[in-house]
Amino acid sequence: MGDRWNLRWESRGLKWRTGRLFSLVGVVNLLFIARWIIDDGVWITGGVYQLFTTAFLLAQFFFVSWLIMAIFNYFADIYAFKKHKGKHVDSSLITVLARIFGGLTIVILGIYVIEFMGFSISPILAGLGVGGLAVALAIRLYWKTLLMV
């Protein structure tokens, strides 16, 4: 659907290439409305309610994550295009930074979704921190000998 919107805008002389972004925004909004209807409009209880609510929440997370990555990549492309005065260039560093920032945003959003679903994320993060410290201390001598050579 996004490609169809891009073609329609290009036929009018606009070269924005935002069809995919608008498609993702539409899907996220449809999922939000469907989840809202399930929560407030339809009387569903028990396991069916839990199944639908969880499925729509995870689908929303997936499509919002995709939208976040698409937005970061879109702005990276615009920045590279404007920086080089309208020439399309290979700007790998800008693309990598956009993906790193998009990934970090998705991780933060994922932590929020896990907390929203009722799981306590604090023990998991504390365990990962202690585990990371243990791994860092364990490979310290390896890195020391590797860097000294």
Side-chain angles (χ1 to χ4, degrees):
M1 182 186 284
D3 292 331
R4 194 177 336 158
W5 284 358
N6 284 339
L7 290 174
R8 186 168 71 182
W9 286 329
E10 285 177 2
S11 68
R12 295 180 184 170
L14 301 172
K15 298 180 181 179
W16 289 339
R17 308 289 300 167
T18 57
R20 179 187 296 165
L21 297 176
F22 286 134
S23 298
L24 289 171
V25 168
V27 168
V28 168
N29 285 332
L30 286 175
L31 286 170
F32 177 75
I33 290 169
R35 206 169 128 237
W36 177 68
I37 289 172
I38 288 173
D39 282 344
D40 296 335
V42 180
W43 189 66
I44 300 175
T45 59
V48 176
Y49 172 76
Q50 288 290 354
L51 175 72
F52 279 131
T53 303
T54 304
F56 278 102
L57 182 67
L58 292 176
Q60 270 185 312
F61 172 70
F62 174 75
F63 283 109
V64 167
S65 300
W66 190 2
L67 177 65
I68 288 169
M69 288 302 289
I71 287 172
F72 273 102
N73 287 333
Y74 181 73
F75 284 126
D77 289 341
I78 287 176
Y79 178 74
F81 184 75
K82 297 279 184 185
K83 183 178 178 186
H84 296 284
K85 298 179 178 45
K87 298 177 190 170
H88 288 283
V89 295
D90 180 33
S91 54
S92 300
L93 180 63
I94 295 171
T95 305
V96 168
L97 287 175
R99 289 184 181 164
I100 288 172
F101 287 128
L104 289 175
T105 307
I106 290 170
V107 166
I108 292 169
L109 181 67
I111 290 171
Y112 172 74
V113 167
I114 290 171
E115 285 280 340
F116 185 77
M117 291 176 72
F119 297 105
S120 179
I121 195 72
S122 300
I124 296 170
L125 291 177
L128 288 174
V130 170
L133 181 63
V135 169
L137 289 173
I139 63 171
R140 183 182 62 174
L141 292 175
Y142 173 74
W143 283 108
K144 185 177 179 181
T145 57
L146 183 69
L147 295 176
M148 294 301 261
V149 172

